[in-house]
Amino acid sequence: MKAWKLPLRNLARKPGRTAALIALTAFLALSMFAGSVVALSLRRGMSSLENRLGADVIVVPVSAKSKVNLDEILLQGATGYFYMDAELLPQLAKESGVAQLSPQLFLASLRASCCSVAVQVIGIDQDTDFTVQPWISRSYAQRLGEMDVAVGSKISADVGENIILYETRCHVVARLETTGTAMDTCVYCSMETLRALLEAARGLNHDLKISGDPEEVVSAVYLKVQEGMDPQKVADSINLQRKFKKVQAVRTKSMFTGIADSLSGVSRTIGLLVVAVWALAVVLLLIAFLLSANERKREFAVLRLLGTSRRMLAGLMWRETALCSLMGGVLGVALAALILFPFAGLIEHSLGLPYLMPAAPTMALLAAASLAAAVLVGSLASAWATHRLSRVDPGTILREGN
Amino acid sequence: MNLRAEGVSKSYFRKTGEANFFVAVQRTDLTLEGGQVTVLMGRSGSGKTTLLHMLAGLLQPSEGKVFLENTDLYALEDQALSRLRNEKISVIPQSRSAIETLSVRENILLPATLYGHISGETERQAQAWMDRLGILPLADSRPRELSGGELRRMAIARALVSRPAVILADEPTGDLDDENTILVLDVLRESARAGAAVLLVTHENDALKYADVACRMDQGILRIC
């Protein structure tokens, strides 16, 4: 037998104790890995949402607030539509501080025989768009043609397939990257395609409540303000002008406030839970190692008697603990992965917040960090117990058993 | 090689109602010469085991020094002292001293295992001592399957397998029947003849027949008989 096999023998001989230590460290690793992945996913979801909206101010009809809120459509995945006169566009473009603007047109498909899926359909002006186009271009480098649509990652349609919207066949040309936001449940097309769909919906007697010519309406106008300009001042200026009395300018940041508050609350709760779990587990580990070390003090005394130095004894104990913690860490991370990956949708749904899981390398780093932390905490707890015991005179311990 | 205690004593601080010092071993000089069996007798609690532990480098004396040849044991760092104990000084403790996770054979080879000294020769030595002490059929058994006497013989085999320069045996015949008592005393005598310095702490008057030097301990005071 080699000396390194001693820790293995000890672990195998006390399966109950070993299993308890593994379970404790698994609990540590699980809480750390799952907690950090959820917290990071929420942060990434928020950041992704900000990037995707990409505008400083959004102008919508005043009636939008009473019908379906814009943030419900863009942030929470609700479907809806509202329209305003497109004549406002040149006037908004002339507003002081506006650097760029682009209109969007909304239509909600129905869960009915006319449509294969009930989703929010968003028409973008491909000549001026600065919010959706950069995102689409990562999956589809060309312009969206007539009846072409790009679908969010949560729409169950693949590239090359057709989806039916108001009895109109639309060709899926791109499937967009996941953003972790409500945008993943939307369908995007050109302004022309959306106007054709509006006509189709009206043809099916679907009341869209459009006053005037459908060719002359938009749903929202996205504004980017000039460098150095305060978006709030630009929004306030629009809201105060009589010529814009039928619209309202909303600063996008204010749309995020509610989400940011919820996210901060959830993150804080997760953080507190992880800290509480760790504190509890560390105390339990300390007690477990101390009890185990006390139970084995005679064995330690015999090893000292046979010429094991304190350092060797600490090394033997460390290997035993590290093995246990490593097994527990791997188990904890694996269990967390089994919960996090298959149930990501459920987690996102129950949190009700933008949720974008980190990329594989970041996940691997988080898993490695959780493993390392579990091994480190286990090692420190056992080191403390071993240190206490190795200071006790072996002669006294051996005599105690007489 | 000799092991020498020079003016060693051991006092303990006891909290028995009123705090006080308890002197387990008074200032003592003792030399264990290589090739000799020194028998130390005395009543329970007279300080024999405390003296043995100080001689083994296991218990720091309150005063005085212990030398193995010219090496002051307690001037060594823990690592050096531990290694020296592993290679030169074997202790047969009075109480059970088996590692429960190991087989009898592995327990006997443990001192050599700790520092990677296992060789074919060590394994042959272990086999020979197990045979001699009558525990060879138990080589692959676990300590919990052994009787007190068998465990004692296992500890003796473990102490002898590395051919130490010093053997400190604390009541090595405590759990043994007459036949095995004689066997163990013979084995220790042979080890002394092979050059080891042997200290035999015992209650057995028969052990005196094996003594080159006999001592008695009474209330912490050592007297050479």
Side-chain angles (χ1 to χ4, degrees):
Chain A
M1 192 194 65
K2 305 279 186 212
W4 61 264
K5 281 189 178 170
L6 270 171
L8 281 177
R9 290 289 183 89
N10 279 323
L11 290 178
R13 186 177 164 263
K14 291 272 184 179
R17 184 182 70 194
T18 305
L21 290 176
I22 288 176
L24 262 177
T25 42
F27 193 45
L28 274 180
L30 185 148
S31 67
M32 183 175 175
F33 185 55
S36 53
V37 166
V38 171
L40 195 60
S41 299
L42 287 171
R43 263 206 295 278
R44 288 191 80 225
M46 184 69 185
S47 155
S48 165
L49 179 66
E50 284 175 351
N51 290 339
R52 286 282 57 81
L53 278 181
D56 300 313
V57 175
I58 299 178
V59 179
V60 291
V62 174
S63 58
K65 280 276 179 190
S66 57
K67 284 184 185 173
V68 182
N69 280 337
L70 181 67
D71 56 352
E72 282 176 359
I73 293 176
L74 294 178
L75 310 182
Q76 293 166 33
T79 57
Y81 48 83
F82 38 78
Y83 303 101
M84 59 187 180
D85 202 331
E87 276 180 6
L88 289 169
L89 281 172
Q91 293 173 41
L92 283 169
K94 281 183 205 157
E95 272 302 296
S96 156
V98 174
Q100 241 180 313
L101 94 176
S102 180
Q104 288 188 359
L105 196 50
F106 300 158
L107 175 65
S109 66
L110 301 175
R111 201 179 299 276
S113 58
C114 65
C115 305
S116 48
V117 61
V119 287
Q120 182 72 16
V121 191
I122 297 175
I124 55 167
D125 178 352
Q126 296 184 89
D127 294 325
T128 58
D129 178 75
F130 55 90
T131 59
V132 182
Q133 199 69 24
W135 178 35
I136 293 178
S137 64
R138 284 194 226 162
S139 315
Y140 188 65
Q142 301 164 49
R143 281 173 73 89
L144 295 170
E146 197 181 343
M147 294 306 158
D148 281 350
V149 292
V151 298
S153 62
K154 287 189 181 159
I155 304 286
S156 51
D158 286 328
V159 174
E161 288 180 358
N162 291 317
I163 55 172
I164 308 295
L165 300 170
Y166 293 105
E167 294 186 350
T168 307
R169 191 180 298 273
C170 297
H171 185 58
V172 177
V173 294
R175 200 176 162 77
L176 304 175
E177 282 177 4
T178 304
T179 65
T181 69
M183 294 174 172
D184 294 333
T185 59
C186 294
V187 169
Y188 299 87
C189 61
S190 68
M191 209 59 124
E192 294 71 30
T193 302
L194 201 114
R195 288 193 200 288
L197 291 173
L198 281 181
E199 284 299 338
R202 279 158 66 105
L204 291 169
N205 295 324
H206 184 53
D207 182 13
L208 297 169
K209 297 190 172 58
I210 297 175
S211 52
D213 183 359
E215 292 294 322
E216 297 300 327
V217 293
V218 292
S219 297
V221 181
Y222 285 59
L223 304 184
K224 193 178 253 315
V225 302
Q226 285 165 355
E227 191 80 29
M229 285 298 290
D230 180 0
Q232 189 60 54
K233 281 189 178 162
V234 174
D236 289 347
S237 160
I238 293 168
N239 289 334
L240 287 171
Q241 293 180 56
R242 199 174 162 72
K243 61 184 174 187
F244 297 127
K245 64 179 182 187
K246 289 185 177 173
V247 299
Q248 58 176 329
V250 184
R251 197 181 165 191
T252 48
K253 206 162 187 180
S254 68
M255 291 168 64
F256 297 139
T257 312
I259 294 187
D261 288 348
S262 308
L263 188 135
S264 148
V266 171
S267 295
R268 205 171 27 247
T269 309
I270 291 171
L272 282 173
L273 273 175
V274 170
V275 168
V277 163
W278 271 68
L280 181 71
V282 167
V283 170
L284 286 175
L285 271 177
L286 279 172
I287 293 170
F289 281 117
L290 203 61
L291 287 176
S292 159
N294 267 326
E295 180 197 320
R296 295 169 64 187
K297 61 184 182 181
R298 186 162 197 83
E299 176 190 331
F300 288 8
V302 171
L303 285 167
R304 295 275 290 137
L305 178 92
L306 299 179
T308 308
S309 64
R310 288 192 184 99
R311 185 182 289 186
M312 284 170 73
L313 198 61
L316 284 170
M317 271 303 281
W318 180 79
R319 278 193 285 276
E320 204 175 306
T321 312
L323 252 169
C324 236
S325 308
L326 194 66
M327 286 191 271
V330 169
L331 182 70
V333 168
L335 280 174
L338 277 176
I339 297 167
L340 289 172
F341 297 117
F343 299 108
L346 191 68
I347 296 170
E348 180 182 353
H349 183 72
S350 50
L351 288 173
L353 289 167
Y355 186 84
L356 182 60
M357 286 182 91
T362 312
M363 286 282 200
L365 264 177
L366 286 175
S370 306
L371 261 179
V375 172
L376 186 71
V377 168
S379 302
L380 288 177
S382 88
W384 178 67
T386 312
H387 174 77
R388 277 190 53 161
L389 209 62
S390 69
R391 299 283 142 187
V392 179
D393 157 43
T396 308
I397 295 173
L398 286 170
R399 290 192 69 166
E400 277 172 6
N402 288 345
Chain B
M1 196 171 267
N2 68 41
L3 183 69
R4 206 165 67 252
E6 290 184 359
V8 294
S9 71
K10 186 69 190 176
S11 309
Y12 291 104
F13 183 71
R14 269 184 180 171
K15 270 188 177 174
T16 47
E18 205 175 299
N20 58 69
F21 278 101
F22 165 71
V23 182
V25 176
Q26 306 268 14
R27 275 180 65 91
T28 300
D29 296 316
L30 177 67
T31 301
L32 306 177
E33 294 285 356
Q36 286 189 350
V37 174
T38 303
V39 173
L40 175 58
M41 301 188 74
R43 292 164 66 179
S44 295
S46 60
K48 305 185 296 294
T49 300
T50 303
L51 177 61
L52 183 144
H53 284 159
M54 287 194 288
L55 290 168
L58 287 168
L59 184 63
Q60 173 98 41
S62 303
E63 55 180 349
K65 291 180 176 179
V66 178
F67 294 92
L68 180 67
E69 288 292 319
N70 295 316
T71 306
D72 180 353
L73 297 191
Y74 293 99
L76 296 173
E77 292 290 325
D78 179 63
Q79 266 184 291
L81 175 58
S82 298
R83 180 143 203 155
L84 182 129
R85 191 162 53 238
N86 177 269
E87 291 171 356
K88 307 277 188 204
I89 305 172
S90 279
V91 181
I92 302 165
Q94 192 177 354
S95 56
R96 284 170 171 247
S97 61
I99 303 287
E100 298 294 327
T101 48
L102 306 179
S103 68
V104 168
R105 186 196 308 278
E106 287 167 339
N107 262 288
I108 290 169
L109 287 168
L110 186 57
T113 306
L114 289 172
Y115 286 90
H117 292 160
I118 289 279
S119 64
E121 175 56 24
T122 329
E123 289 188 5
R124 272 192 295 280
Q125 282 284 327
Q127 192 87 355
W129 281 119
M130 281 191 285
D131 192 21
R132 177 83 194 274
L133 292 164
I135 51 172
L136 189 56
L138 303 168
D140 296 317
S141 306
R142 297 280 156 178
R144 64 172 176 275
E145 298 163 33
L146 272 60
S147 69
E150 288 163 341
L151 282 171
R152 178 77 61 188
R153 281 177 278 154
M154 187 204 80
I156 293 164
R158 184 179 63 196
L160 298 174
V161 82
S162 56
R163 297 174 188 269
V166 178
I167 299 167
L168 305 173
D170 195 357
E171 305 279 5
T173 56
D175 300 312
L176 303 179
D177 53 34
D178 290 348
E179 191 183 337
N180 279 312
T181 297
I182 291 167
L183 173 65
V184 166
L185 294 175
D186 281 344
V187 161
L188 292 174
R189 174 75 259 176
E190 284 166 26
S191 295
R193 279 200 197 112
V198 177
L199 174 67
L200 180 55
V201 173
T202 183
H203 290 293
E204 300 273 348
N205 282 324
D206 288 353
L208 287 172
K209 289 189 282 189
Y210 295 81
D212 296 303
V213 179
C215 329
R216 180 164 291 276
M217 200 137 194
D218 187 22
Q219 293 187 325
I221 300 168
L222 182 77
R223 289 191 184 84
I224 310 289
C225 305

